[in-house]
Amino acid sequence: MNKRLLNILQTLGVCRMWGIGVIIMKLGLKSVDAMTLAWLPLAIGMFALCMYTFVIQRKTIPRNLDRKIWIIIAIIGICNFTISRMIKPFALESMPANTYSYLTQFQGFVTMALSIIILREVPTIWQLVGAAVAFGGLRLYFSQVPTAGEWLGIILIVIAWLATAFTNNATRKVMQDTHNGIDNNVFSSLTILFGGTASVVIGLSVGGLPKVPDLASWGVILFLGLIWIAFNLTAWNYFLRTLRSYEASILSSSVVIFTALFSLMFLGEKISLNQWLGIITMIIGFALVQVRAGRLDLLWRRIFKRRGVPEKGA
């Protein structure tokens, strides 16, 4: 088996673990409050990832980074590990696991939209079509108006979308500015240190010391911290060395399928026909977004040229 095929199978394994993580978090919410599940696994994951990076791998922090890069790294950590990850348990608490997993997949399209502003990257025609198809799947999935509780969860997930989308684009910006001079694990460890530390402070200030009633609940927290956060983050960065980013993105959309199946098996959540149609439509849109042909800026130039309209600066 070649390395590429092996990495594809391993990436699908990580996606399966992400799906299992959603189910385990949902089960954990029955005995542990959302605030504890928001910060305690993150604290454990932060400790494990930093130990792996700086003690086991003996990586060092780059000393030649200017203050602007450090500020962006800190903001990335706050957006990803304080805002986005602390919001998610509260969103999951208000809706079924398969709905939560379905909605979280749309953060890739929000990332694409923000890249126009942050990175000045113009999307292709197919990417716009794919985004439209995917968001059309929302209408299929939600054939009825969401309940008040689900609306709260949807609003929280939209906030998480924006935070994660900013994180993705800012990360790419840092890598461009530093010419990929920061090691992946060092970068992940630094961002989780900034965001995770803030999450721990907020969690202890708001909820006090964690209240974990039994060993099963501790098992949930350890799984979320060590596997769902630390291991998956490290593995994902490793697989991106072989897989192209758009290939990894397509594979990541399988999380919603795994979550749907696991929620059916372990939570007894039923998935209706219109929900399956919404999921399939979202995946089709996600695949279309990966098509790089048909740049929109070139299309506009051709239209202006045919109409005899001079371009700016001409």
Side-chain angles (χ1 to χ4, degrees):
M1 184 180 297
N2 61 49
K3 184 177 180 180
R4 178 183 172 76
L5 178 58
L6 178 62
N7 276 4
I8 289 174
L9 295 176
Q10 290 173 330
T11 302
L12 288 173
V14 169
C15 293
R16 185 175 67 244
M17 295 305 294
W18 273 334
I20 292 174
V22 174
I23 305 304
I24 289 179
M25 184 184 290
K26 187 71 174 179
L27 291 171
L29 286 168
K30 295 180 179 179
S31 57
V32 181
D33 64 277
M35 179 57 75
T36 299
L37 281 182
W39 73 266
L40 187 53
L42 190 54
I44 293 172
M46 175 176 63
F47 176 78
L49 184 57
C50 289
M51 287 291 293
Y52 173 76
T53 301
F54 299 121
V55 177
I56 297 176
Q57 288 196 321
R58 297 184 180 180
K59 301 285 186 179
T60 57
I61 298 174
R63 302 189 180 206
N64 58 344
L65 299 178
D66 61 39
R67 188 161 70 175
K68 178 185 174 183
I69 298 297
W70 277 110
I71 291 173
I72 295 176
I73 289 174
I75 294 173
I76 289 172
I78 296 297
C79 286
N80 192 24
F81 296 106
T82 306
I83 298 175
S84 181
R85 287 193 181 269
M86 287 198 75
I87 279 176
K88 289 177 178 178
F90 294 95
L92 181 58
E93 193 176 35
S94 64
M95 62 178 60
N98 57 75
T99 300
Y100 166 87
S101 182
Y102 171 74
L103 289 174
T104 55
Q105 297 306 307
F106 284 88
Q107 63 191 22
F109 300 103
V110 182
T111 298
M112 183 183 74
L114 282 186
S115 70
I116 300 173
I117 301 171
I118 297 175
L119 300 173
R120 307 291 189 214
E121 293 180 342
V122 180
T124 67
I125 299 170
W126 284 110
Q127 287 175 327
L128 292 178
V129 171
V133 169
F135 279 100
L138 284 172
R139 180 66 184 85
L140 290 172
Y141 192 94
F142 292 104
S143 59
Q144 298 178 347
V145 177
T147 64
E150 286 180 327
W151 272 118
L152 173 61
I154 290 171
I155 292 171
L156 292 175
I157 287 179
V158 169
I159 296 172
W161 281 354
L162 294 171
T164 304
F166 174 82
T167 294
N168 293 338
N169 284 290
T171 297
R172 179 162 176 162
K173 181 67 174 172
V174 168
M175 293 307 170
Q176 288 177 348
D177 291 346
T178 60
H179 305 288
N180 293 320
I182 306 178
D183 179 84
N184 279 333
N185 287 341
V186 171
F187 181 80
S188 298
S189 298
L190 291 176
T191 55
I192 200 174
L193 271 174
F194 280 109
T197 301
S199 297
V200 171
V201 172
I202 293 171
L204 289 173
S205 300
V206 174
L209 293 175
K211 301 176 181 64
V212 184
D214 49 41
L215 288 177
S217 299
W218 274 112
V220 167
I221 290 170
L222 288 173
F223 176 89
L224 293 176
L226 297 176
I227 305 299
W228 210 49
I229 295 176
F231 174 79
N232 279 0
L233 185 61
T234 303
W236 188 258
N237 287 336
Y238 174 77
F239 298 147
L240 284 177
R241 296 179 184 180
T242 300
L243 298 177
R244 296 175 182 176
S245 59
Y246 69 86
E247 293 174 323
S249 297
I250 293 174
L251 291 173
S252 71
S253 66
S254 65
V255 172
V256 70
I257 302 295
F258 289 126
T259 304
L261 294 175
F262 292 141
S263 67
L264 184 66
M265 295 167 57
F266 300 108
L267 300 176
E269 295 181 0
K270 296 182 180 179
I271 307 168
S272 63
L273 177 61
N274 62 283
Q275 289 178 318
W276 277 118
L277 290 174
I279 290 171
I280 293 171
T281 303
M282 183 271 294
I283 292 176
I284 292 173
F286 209 98
L288 288 173
V289 165
Q290 314 309 319
V291 180
R292 306 287 177 172
R295 283 177 51 189
L296 195 61
D297 56 339
L298 295 181
L299 176 64
W300 282 116
R301 288 181 186 177
R302 290 175 185 174
I303 293 174
F304 287 142
K305 188 175 181 180
R306 288 177 183 175
R307 293 183 178 181
V309 178
E311 297 181 15
K312 291 183 178 180

